[in-house]
Amino acid sequence: MKRHGNLYHKITDYDNLLLAFQKSRKGKGWQDTIARFEKNLDENLLSIQKMLVEKTYKTSPYTEMIIHEPKKRTIYKLPFYPDRIIHHALMNVIEPIWDSLFIDTSYACRKGKGLHGGSRKVMDYIRKNKGGYCLKMDISKFYPSVVHHTLFDIVKRKIKCKDTLWLFKQIIYSIDGGKNVPIGNYTSQWLGNLYLNELDQYLKHEHRIKYYVRYCDDFVVIHQCKKYLGELREFIRSFIKEKLALVFSKCDLFSLKQGIDFLGYRHFYNYILLRKSTAKRIRRRLKILPKQLATGEINEEQHRSVIASISGWLRWANSYHLQNKLGLANV
């Protein structure tokens, strides 16, 4: 496998740092910290460049926040300057390298893929396997369970540039305890994808799996033989435990006639339904939205963005009556 070198000068290039700033501020330009940074943009970007070139950069302290939707998780937040800009600068260079390593049916956080792309592929596989079965799995506490040393070893197998590896080390080991890729870091979604790419490659090359879709730590395998999927389940269980120190939170084997609950939707042969918990979450979100707008918690642009996002979710499924009920049929 090719290892990539001579990358760091691309990461620290001023134009790349400028692009990283533009990406990291997207949708957040109204924040005071970003406005202050932008007033002295050139000086601040040169400051980031200097700390990277001289290797004085160290990950800032995290601000932790507990959220409960869709499930209880700890979110870790870093300052806009310098951390979030540096993370984008790094991934501007690394993203195309890693993306080329991933299998075609890995759908999370990739250009041209995404949630609805994964949903479309699942529907395609269901229609090709009528009368078949589905093995549906997800990982227990995936991001907090990622082992730092294992992850860094995987990174080193793809990257040989010592300076770039130094930067990855600052980010990967920024949380104490030997485990945890912080949810909230821009780099984390890519590091998580790289970690589970080990499983993707194992299934594709060792087991020649044909109908497999992964979105982050949720994945499905579809096959005509129930016994085959039952045996495959044990191979996967052993692989993720021994190689990645992960365990399942759920691992279900069932007929396709039941539909596949995946990516917020329930997928059947000829139609898609919105998951009940997703519908409830949308109702709650729409209920508090007017109050958030009235109190200034969100602005008009954010309000329109939320409505557009919800409408997109609904229109992907067979949800005409629900759209009418929520007053979104004509949005």
Side-chain angles (χ1 to χ4, degrees):
M1 179 181 292
K2 181 181 178 181
R3 296 176 71 219
H4 295 262
N6 196 28
L7 301 172
Y8 202 61
H9 73 282
K10 298 178 183 178
I11 296 168
T12 60
D13 180 76
Y14 181 88
D15 288 340
N16 183 53
L17 294 174
L18 177 60
L19 177 62
F21 161 72
Q22 292 165 345
K23 286 184 175 181
S24 57
R25 79 180 292 280
K26 191 174 181 179
K28 304 181 183 73
W30 54 273
Q31 295 180 2
D32 290 340
T33 53
I34 296 175
R36 287 196 298 270
F37 184 92
E38 202 163 9
K39 283 183 180 179
N40 298 292
L41 180 60
D42 187 62
E43 180 183 336
N44 287 326
L45 290 179
L46 289 173
S47 172
I48 292 175
Q49 186 181 55
K50 185 173 186 289
M51 68 176 71
L52 288 175
V53 170
E54 296 180 357
K55 295 191 177 67
T56 58
Y57 169 70
K58 186 177 180 181
T59 299
S60 304
Y62 286 97
T63 300
E64 296 183 21
M65 179 176 65
I66 305 294
I67 65 170
H68 297 271
E69 292 288 352
K71 58 186 176 182
K72 186 178 179 181
R73 295 181 297 171
T74 302
I75 303 297
Y76 298 83
K77 187 176 180 181
L78 285 173
F80 178 77
Y81 168 84
D83 304 88
R84 279 153 56 190
I85 295 173
I86 288 175
H87 287 198
H88 276 274
L90 173 62
M91 293 316 302
N92 283 347
V93 176
I94 300 300
E95 178 182 331
I97 295 172
W98 286 0
D99 192 69
S100 68
L101 301 172
F102 298 155
I103 65 171
D104 187 56
T105 56
S106 169
Y107 279 88
C109 314
R110 299 174 66 193
K111 292 176 182 176
K113 300 290 184 178
L115 187 146
H116 288 151
S119 174
R120 188 182 297 112
K121 181 60 70 173
V122 167
M123 286 298 290
D124 178 46
Y125 286 171
I126 289 174
R127 288 164 180 161
K128 289 178 178 177
N129 288 274
K130 286 190 176 182
Y133 298 86
C134 176
L135 176 62
K136 181 179 181 295
M137 303 149 282
D138 60 52
I139 304 297
S140 176
K141 298 178 181 177
F142 170 58
Y143 285 104
S145 301
V146 172
V147 179
H148 293 159
H149 291 320
T150 304
L151 175 59
F152 192 56
D153 283 344
I154 294 170
V155 172
K156 287 190 291 185
R157 294 209 306 267
K158 324 295 182 186
I159 304 295
K160 65 180 179 181
C161 175
K162 291 182 179 179
D163 293 332
T164 303
L165 289 174
W166 169 83
L167 182 53
F168 268 118
K169 197 167 188 178
Q170 307 311 307
I171 295 169
I172 290 172
Y173 291 92
S174 62
I175 292 282
D176 294 332
K179 292 184 177 182
N180 200 352
V181 172
I183 301 172
N185 280 357
Y186 177 67
T187 52
S188 292
Q189 54 194 347
W190 283 97
L191 289 168
N193 246 352
L194 186 71
Y195 202 72
L196 283 179
N197 182 58
E198 298 294 298
L199 172 63
D200 299 344
Q201 300 298 332
Y202 167 72
L203 291 175
K204 286 292 183 179
H205 295 295
E206 295 294 325
H207 292 277
R208 305 292 179 182
I209 297 298
K210 188 174 182 181
Y211 302 111
Y212 169 72
V213 178
R214 181 173 67 81
Y215 190 95
C216 193
D217 59 325
D218 293 340
F219 42 104
V220 298
V221 182
I222 296 172
H223 199 273
Q224 288 290 329
C225 179
K226 187 175 183 180
K227 181 181 178 183
Y228 171 83
L229 289 177
E231 293 170 351
L232 182 67
R233 173 172 51 192
E234 298 314 308
F235 281 117
I236 296 173
R237 193 191 306 275
S238 296
F239 180 87
I240 64 171
K241 181 180 180 181
E242 294 170 11
K243 301 294 185 180
L244 303 175
L246 301 172
V247 296
F248 293 134
S249 63
K250 293 180 182 177
C251 187
D252 301 320
L253 177 54
F254 51 89
S255 168
L256 291 178
K257 293 177 183 178
Q258 294 178 220
I260 300 176
D261 189 340
F262 190 58
L263 304 178
Y265 299 99
R266 293 179 63 207
H267 301 78
F268 296 88
Y269 290 124
N270 297 314
Y271 59 93
I272 300 174
L273 297 178
L274 201 65
R275 182 189 292 165
K276 288 183 179 180
S277 59
T278 305
K280 288 180 180 178
R281 205 157 54 241
I282 285 173
R283 286 191 180 97
R284 286 197 298 268
R285 186 74 178 95
L286 287 173
K287 188 175 181 179
I288 65 171
L289 207 56
K291 184 179 178 181
Q292 290 179 317
L293 182 62
T295 59
E297 186 176 341
I298 61 173
N299 57 33
E300 287 284 356
E301 182 182 349
Q302 291 169 304
H303 179 267
R304 287 193 297 270
S305 178
V306 171
I307 294 296
S309 177
I310 290 174
S311 296
W313 267 89
L314 293 171
R315 288 176 181 174
W316 188 255
N318 297 80
S319 61
Y320 177 76
H321 295 297
L322 179 59
Q323 290 179 56
N324 275 329
K325 192 173 182 179
L326 296 175
L328 297 174
N330 298 316
V331 173

